[in-house]
Amino acid sequence: MARFKFGRALRPDGRVERPNPPNMTELGSNGTREAATAVRCDIFCTVVDNYGDIGVAYRLARQLADEQGFSVRLWVDRLDLLGKLCAQADPASARQELSGIEVRRWCAPFPAVEPADVVIEAFGCALPDRYLAQMAAQDPKPVWINLEYLSAETWTLSCHGLASPHPRLPLTKHFFFPGFAPDSGGIIHERFLDSRRRAFQEDSRAVNAFWQSLGVPGAADQELRVSLFSYENAAMPRTLGQWADSPQPVRLLVPEGRSTPQLCAFLGEDRLVPGMARAVGSLTVQMLPFVEQARYDRLLWACDVNFVRGEDSFVRAQLAGRPFVWHIYPQEGQAHAAKLRAFMDAYCAGLPGPAGAALRAFWEGWNGTQAVPAPWDAFWTHRDALREHARRWARSLSHTPGLAANLGEFCRNRL
Ligand code: TRH
């Protein structure tokens, strides 16, 4: 029989085999490894669009393995996208080990595998029927989690942890809402991330070496470094124009992606590819490759201000301890406006009034939830307050238990 480190291998006759003996260690509440049976966890992820679904699922999978001692198997339908976030990922391999987790291609027909102790479906992706039927046949039943999108909206707190019985099968799904409030599911932040981040930011040699590795020159005197990861954005040309007219040099660092056509139009270029840099007035636009997740963190740590989007880069920008601007994932009927404002309410509560008002105005303009985009200068004039607040916010997030720890506890209490 084929044996895999994390595997529940299939017999040639197609019957489900017993799982291999799982890891015999897990992390106790004090963070030390204790002799115990590892919790087996299956995470299911389908990519709706972009990188956020797989970005969150892969990050969570690693943290559940590293810090909660879970034995994790991640099922994902788009291994090609995982390859963008992690260079070791092999898009052609249907089964591989990556950073302490087992990664499997989610394909149809779904193989007959024994369900894990904990089953996490990311963002409401429906589990394969065959797997669901096997969950129902299992005794005891797996702990079944539906991991929801991150939101600061208060209604999510009343739904967090709620149980939803399956209409036909003897199974119960629990809703898990990541968030910022103490009684939410929390956000993903790795242990020691905050100290690693601060050590990097305080080490000018490490920062310079990072810029060099990306082919970005050292910062000019007074230069403002901005990273840009955004969706198509009606406010972008105006903001680019304001940077071009700025008294201060601005270097805009752009991982290739959905902003590229707008930048081409602004710069009058047919194409922009990683490595190219073009200047207009005070603004230099430098294209970067899409880098691995860990390097993207460093980009956020090294810039003065970061434009981020979606869910995962939005959280990483907060953990970078630097001012940032969020382009929220647009939803039909402007449903995203309430979500944007709920976060601004939480974030601006700790900012002096004028800085909070400037942040709200700029973010609303950037997101098109307010008709007239606010000028960049009106936002950036508050840079000292924004910087100080970003540092404090990152520090306070790093002291929260976090999504993986909250999930770990929630599941263990139900196993
Ligand atoms: O890519 P996103 O827009 O993803 C999503 C999806 O649209 C999804 O359907 C939606 O529901 C969700 O947002 C809210 O943005 P996000 O979430 O920031 O994910 C980007 C990931 O890509 C994140 O893990 C960071 C990573 N990344 C890199 O690893 N390297 C890079 O160079 C860049 C720019 C990003």
Side-chain angles (χ1 to χ4, degrees), residues 46-56 59 62 84-86 123 149-150 228-231 254-256 258 288-297 299-300 308-316 326-330 339:
T46 52
V47 173
V48 177
D49 55 9
N50 306 318
Y51 302 98
D53 308 289
I54 181 60
V56 169
R59 201 184 284 292
R62 278 175 296 161
K84 299 273 271 181
L85 305 177
C86 164
F123 311 125
Y149 289 109
L150 169 67
L228 177 73
F229 181 49
S230 157
Y231 307 114
V254 192
E256 59 180 335
R258 288 176 59 173
L288 301 178
F290 192 97
V291 293
E292 283 192 273
Q293 269 186 336
R295 291 188 86 203
Y296 182 61
D297 266 345
L299 178 66
L300 298 173
V308 287
R309 73 185 201 194
E311 179 164 323
D312 194 48
S313 58
F314 163 59
V315 171
R316 303 314 280 186
W326 183 26
H327 195 182
I328 191 169
Y329 186 77
K339 189 169 164 180

Side-chain angles (χ1 to χ4, degrees), residues 7-10 14-17 42 44 73 75 95 104 110-116 130-131 134-135 138:
R8 280 126 282 220
L10 254 192
R15 281 165 46 206
V16 183
E17 294 193 354
D42 274 332
F44 287 85
R73 186 166 59 175
W75 298 89
R95 183 177 203 160
R104 298 284 294 265
F110 195 78
V113 293
E114 183 178 314
R130 183 180 203 177
Y131 186 90
Q134 272 161 328
M135 281 169 68
Q138 198 109 315

Side-chain angles (χ1 to χ4, degrees), residues 8-51:
R8 280 126 282 220
L10 254 192
R11 287 159 53 131
D13 60 8
R15 281 165 46 206
V16 183
E17 294 193 354
R18 300 293 307 155
N20 292 327
N23 295 344
M24 295 302 286
T25 57
E26 69 180 60
L27 289 177
S29 53
N30 60 1
T32 57
R33 293 202 175 264
E34 298 170 349
T37 302
V39 174
R40 295 170 305 132
C41 174
D42 274 332
I43 302 180
F44 287 85
C45 171
T46 52
V47 173
V48 177
D49 55 9
N50 306 318
Y51 302 98

